Amino acid sequence: MEQEMAELLPLNRGSKMEDSERQTFSHFSLIPIKSREKGGLITMPFIIANEALENVASYGLLPNMTFYLMREYRMDITTTQNLLFFWSATTNFLPIVGAVVADSYLGRFLTIGLGSIFSFLGTVVLWLTAMIPKARPPPCYQSGQACKSTTTSQYMLLVFSFLLMSIGAGGIRPCSLAFGANQFDKGGSNPKKHTVLESFFAWYYTSSIVSVLIALTGIVYLQDRLGWKIGFGVPAILMFLSALFFFIASPFYIKPKVRSNVFASFIQVLVVACKNRKLCYPNQNSDYHHKNGSGPQVPTDKLRFLNKACIIKSPEDVKLNGGAANPWNLCTVEQVDELKALIRVMPLWSTGIMISINLSQSSFPLLQAQSMNRHLTKGFQLPAGSFGMFLMIALTIWVLLYDRVMLPLASKIKGRPVRLKPIVRMGLGIFVSCLSMVVSGIIEHIRRRRAISEGLLNNSQGLVEMSALWLIIPNSLNGIAEAFSAIGSTEFYYSELPKSMSSIASALLGLGMAVASLLASVILNAVDKYTKGEGTESWVSSNINKGHYEYYYWLLALLTGFNLLYFVACCWQYGPSADVDITKRMMELSDDDDHLPGKLN
């Protein structure tokens, strides 16, 4: 490691520097900052620490947020889950905006830095809602006394804290991995570059998993044992350290310049195709505009209407250097085919939304765990919010078993390399997710029957004599479903979309999660509305023993089953799919910053 660091961070003793530059020194080294080559392994700990601490702070707040909203703000379960759905949708959508802003206007360094500041401010505002009594409704002690409801200003302060944290995540998450890979791109050929990049990617993803596990155990435990003031204060401190560590290494970073984004290209194709809608299709290949050096090409026949965007109407449309005189009047064949490729994968992309809906159900499993026996020993019990860690554990173990045991064993038996195509893994993910919802409903059905038999129908806070460890099964199935679906989907997008659209491939998963959160809210509200009547409790009642959460789970399982049939139909319509080594693609993209994963061109 020291030898690699020495090779990646040679001193610029022979480079020309201004006198003012020679006087700038690092606080952490006797070597002048400007005499160092920027980037390299020295920046890796700061970038990873920034992302990991942000993960611990943000993911640590989510598990117990249901309790905080229901107990401190006296929201019912439907309102609570809806608010968390909207928060999740915003958090998953804003990284797409953040990527565009980073690549078109601010650059990755400034976007990550501002994102860290926004996340810190968001955690501070949330902490203040716990510290300041007037920031939330007053406690209601007397049973016959009417409790005061949340005021508009109190509610807006809470939502403001969520919005700040979502904006922060939108700045950090889409840029962090790509910015880290930039630090190893020094413009020259380095035979060890790919090895070092693989090491960086491995450490990055490992730290992400570890940080989420710490969040789901340590932060949740603090909230349970020491209360909201400490439980929200620690994430605020961690976000401060996240921003501090990132800015400390500022003199060492390679800071790429901003570029245009691919969304403008898509809009140009649509606009020009509409402008040229009355044109006839040409007979010669040369009448289509293409990129310089790519040679005459003809766009595909699918979605043929878009082909009119790249028809050359007159010689004046093309400059002497081969570029378009006005990109809003003439596009290239490559631009048209890129948009077609995106449109073509969208039906299969939509099939992954249902899995994200199932995974976004955070409040109901929390209330289930809270009502069950969570003791591991007589003196220790798992916090209800920590059961989500079993999803991460199952995901990690399954990926390792699949990659290191199952595939090598199958390849040895077959006598040739064996691997499941990404599209097959996507289908398996949907099936396992459906199975998880069925199992969740069965466990809840048994739990509710025991609660009623033990006389806890009207006592939602009562403890049912049933081990909460049963919840490990659906959590583990959810982890396996996500391992199949998320990884398979990402590889599918990388396989099917052109190299120039690899940034879009990395953004589609987050976009699906954002859409899923909104649709999950629609489903929840519909269930609450149509299952509630006079003298009849809603399936999703705040009283878990009076409600029928098992019916809600089985409804999601039924929808997931229909989604599996829809997936099969989409596969049939799509036709044969390609296959690509995702690791090899990542290495290729690291050589071409324009197409780096996590970057929207």
Side-chain angles (χ1 to χ4, degrees):
M1 179 65 74
E2 292 179 357
Q3 183 179 359
E4 291 178 352
M5 184 177 292
E7 291 178 3
L8 288 170
L9 296 173
L11 300 181
N12 271 340
R13 291 190 177 93
S15 61
K16 295 182 179 180
M17 297 178 292
E18 299 293 333
D19 292 338
S20 60
E21 294 178 343
R22 293 182 183 276
Q23 295 174 0
T24 306
F25 287 85
S26 168
H27 296 290
F28 308 99
S29 174
L30 296 177
I31 303 172
I33 293 174
K34 293 295 182 178
S35 67
R36 288 181 180 269
E37 279 193 2
K38 291 182 179 292
L41 289 174
I42 195 172
T43 62
M44 186 169 71
F46 299 97
I47 296 173
I48 290 178
N50 171 259
E51 172 77 6
L53 290 173
E54 191 270 340
N55 283 340
V56 174
S58 59
Y59 285 103
L61 294 173
L62 183 60
N64 277 338
M65 190 57 65
T66 298
F67 290 149
Y68 185 64
L69 298 179
M70 294 182 69
R71 295 171 183 173
E72 302 297 330
Y73 287 83
R74 289 191 285 278
M75 297 181 184
D76 58 37
I77 184 62
T78 303
T79 304
T80 296
Q81 186 65 77
N82 276 326
L83 181 56
L84 295 181
F85 280 148
F86 292 135
W87 183 20
S88 175
T90 306
T91 302
N92 284 308
F93 177 75
L94 284 181
I96 300 174
V97 179
V100 174
V101 170
D103 296 328
S104 303
Y105 304 102
L106 300 181
R108 292 177 192 152
F109 170 77
L110 190 57
T111 303
I112 295 174
L114 291 175
S116 301
I117 293 173
F118 273 103
S119 289
F120 168 63
L121 294 176
T123 54
V124 168
V125 173
L126 182 63
W127 174 66
L128 291 177
T129 65
M131 292 294 295
I132 303 174
K134 291 186 177 181
R136 59 188 187 279
C140 187
Y141 296 110
Q142 299 181 8
S143 58
Q145 181 182 8
C147 298
K148 292 185 178 181
S149 59
T150 306
T151 64
T152 302
S153 58
Q154 290 170 341
Y155 186 78
M156 293 306 296
L157 183 64
L158 177 69
V159 172
F160 182 58
S161 70
F162 291 165
L163 180 61
L164 287 175
M165 286 186 282
S166 294
I167 294 174
I172 297 174
R173 296 180 185 179
C175 302
S176 184
L177 179 61
F179 185 69
N182 286 147
Q183 306 312 308
F184 303 100
D185 186 10
K186 298 176 182 258
S189 59
N190 188 331
K192 292 191 176 182
K193 176 184 175 182
H194 285 186
T195 301
V196 177
L197 269 175
E198 286 181 346
S199 176
F200 169 70
F201 291 149
W203 278 106
Y204 183 90
Y205 288 119
T206 300
S207 68
S208 297
I209 294 173
V210 172
S211 61
V212 173
L213 290 176
I214 293 174
L216 296 176
T217 53
I219 302 299
V220 170
Y221 187 81
L222 288 177
Q223 293 167 358
D224 276 10
R225 293 296 180 180
L226 302 179
W228 304 116
K229 295 179 180 179
I230 301 297
F232 289 165
V234 170
I237 294 173
L238 293 177
M239 271 313 310
F240 172 76
L241 294 176
S242 173
L244 178 64
F245 287 151
F246 182 74
F247 282 112
I248 277 179
S250 175
F252 301 102
Y253 293 138
I254 294 175
K255 301 170 185 176
K257 296 180 180 179
V258 298
R259 303 174 186 268
S260 61
N261 67 79
V262 75
F263 290 114
S265 172
F266 293 157
I267 296 173
Q268 287 170 357
V269 172
L270 295 173
V271 169
V272 178
C274 290
K275 284 183 178 180
N276 297 346
R277 62 186 179 276
K278 295 183 179 180
L279 290 180
C280 296
Y281 295 102
N283 297 322
Q284 298 181 3
N285 297 352
S286 58
D287 291 332
Y288 289 106
H289 183 51
H290 55 84
K291 286 184 179 180
N292 292 334
S294 61
Q297 296 185 38
V298 179
T300 60
D301 289 333
K302 293 184 178 180
L303 300 171
R304 198 180 180 205
F305 169 76
L306 296 175
N307 294 354
K308 294 186 177 183
C310 55
I311 296 176
I312 301 175
K313 292 179 290 187
S314 65
E316 290 77 15
D317 290 338
V318 182
K319 295 188 294 187
L320 294 177
N321 62 3
N326 185 349
W328 293 97
N329 287 329
L330 180 63
C331 299
T332 64
V333 173
E334 290 78 9
Q335 283 179 278
V336 172
D337 284 344
E338 286 173 357
L339 180 56
K340 288 182 178 181
L342 179 62
I343 294 174
R344 189 166 175 248
V345 302
M346 292 309 289
L348 279 167
W349 165 81
S350 66
T351 63
I353 293 176
M354 195 63 223
I355 295 182
S356 297
I357 290 176
N358 295 341
L359 293 173
S360 65
Q361 309 297 325
S362 59
S363 294
F364 305 121
L366 186 68
L367 295 182
Q368 282 180 289
Q370 182 70 13
S371 69
M372 300 168 75
N373 183 0
R374 293 173 281 112
H375 280 90
L376 296 182
T377 65
K378 290 184 178 180
F380 177 77
Q381 65 176 357
L382 280 174
S386 293
F387 278 81
M389 71 178 179
F390 293 109
L391 185 152
M392 294 298 301
I393 293 173
L395 187 154
T396 305
I397 292 176
W398 179 260
V399 169
L400 291 176
L401 286 176
Y402 174 79
D403 190 52
R404 302 298 179 183
V405 178
M406 295 181 182
L407 288 185
L409 182 60
S411 299
K412 187 176 181 180
I413 294 174
K414 289 283 188 178
R416 56 179 175 82
V418 174
R419 67 190 302 264
L420 294 177
K421 279 193 171 185
I423 201 167
V424 175
R425 278 177 277 162
M426 292 167 63
L428 288 174
I430 298 174
F431 173 76
V432 176
S433 181
C434 179
L435 184 61
S436 172
M437 292 299 101
V438 172
V439 173
S440 295
I442 293 173
I443 293 174
E444 171 56 21
H445 181 69
I446 297 172
R447 188 212 62 80
R448 183 175 180 275
R449 287 179 57 186
R450 290 196 179 184
I452 294 174
S453 65
E454 293 171 13
L456 299 175
L457 178 63
N458 296 314
N459 182 11
S460 61
Q461 303 299 321
L463 190 66
V464 180
E465 287 301 320
M466 179 178 176
S467 176
L469 296 181
W470 284 103
L471 297 176
I472 295 178
I473 300 175
N475 273 288
S476 298
L477 289 173
N478 277 331
I480 296 172
E482 188 168 10
F484 272 129
S485 179
I487 299 175
S489 297
T490 302
E491 291 194 17
F492 175 75
Y493 303 143
Y494 274 95
S495 302
E496 297 300 315
L497 297 178
K499 182 181 177 183
S500 58
M501 296 177 63
S502 294
S503 55
I504 299 294
S506 64
L508 284 175
L509 191 62
L511 179 61
M513 294 170 66
V515 174
S517 295
L518 297 178
L519 291 180
S521 177
V522 173
I523 295 172
L524 177 64
N525 289 330
V527 169
D528 184 54
K529 178 181 178 180
Y530 292 109
T531 61
K532 180 170 56 177
E534 292 186 12
T536 305
E537 286 284 339
S538 165
W539 286 2
V540 288
S541 169
S542 296
N543 185 328
I544 187 174
N545 296 329
K546 286 187 175 182
H548 282 282
Y549 290 4
E550 70 271 34
Y551 295 167
Y552 180 66
Y553 283 131
W554 288 335
L555 174 63
L556 293 178
L558 182 63
L559 293 175
T560 309
F562 284 125
N563 184 61
L564 183 58
L565 297 177
Y566 170 60
F567 172 80
V568 173
C570 289
C571 290
W572 176 80
Q573 184 274 334
Y574 191 87
S577 61
D579 199 2
V580 69
D581 187 337
I582 191 69
T583 304
K584 183 179 180 181
R585 172 62 68 88
M586 291 279 282
M587 293 301 103
E588 291 175 351
L589 295 174
S590 68
D591 290 328
D592 187 355
D593 182 60
D594 290 344
H595 311 135
L596 196 62
K599 178 181 190 298
L600 297 180
N601 297 330

